[in-house]
Amino acid sequence: MNIDEAIMYAIKTSHAIKDEKKEQLTDYFCQIQQENQKYKEVINKAINYINGAYEMATYTKTVGLEEENIEDLLDILKEVEHE
């Protein structure tokens, strides 16, 4: 059982949590899991982009990220702007 399954099990079987709140907690936990998955995906996408940009910079013997690369990277990170 992974940590997420353990948390869901604890919510569903807890006698300290009123039944009407269990569904709310379960829904909230699922929402948080989805948000975290999106953050992980965007972070991995940004990491891959940076790695690719640096490989290209090494290949073309340029230094660092170009302005265009930085704009692209910011666009990737904006995918998870928080309200």
Side-chain angles (χ1 to χ4, degrees):
M1 179 180 299
N2 67 35
I3 189 70
D4 291 343
E5 292 168 339
I7 291 170
M8 290 298 287
Y9 179 78
I11 291 170
K12 290 179 180 182
T13 60
S14 173
H15 296 293
I17 302 171
K18 294 181 181 179
D19 287 337
E20 59 270 10
K21 293 293 181 184
K22 287 180 183 181
E23 186 174 337
Q24 282 180 308
L25 283 171
T26 301
D27 290 345
Y28 179 74
F29 184 71
C30 290
Q31 177 187 346
I32 295 299
Q33 284 178 309
Q34 290 173 351
E35 286 179 24
N36 285 344
Q37 182 60 38
K38 180 65 177 174
Y39 293 146
K40 288 176 185 178
E41 290 170 3
V42 170
I43 289 168
N44 286 333
K45 187 176 178 180
I47 289 169
N48 290 335
Y49 183 86
I50 291 169
N51 286 336
Y54 274 112
E55 285 178 19
M56 181 59 74
T58 302
Y59 178 74
T60 59
K61 299 191 185 326
T62 58
V63 179
L65 292 173
E66 301 291 328
E67 184 177 342
E68 177 184 324
N69 298 126
I70 293 169
E71 289 173 8
D72 290 343
L73 187 56
L74 288 173
D75 288 341
I76 290 170
L77 295 173
K78 285 178 183 177
E79 292 180 22
V80 289
E81 280 187 352
H82 202 53
E83 299 154 8

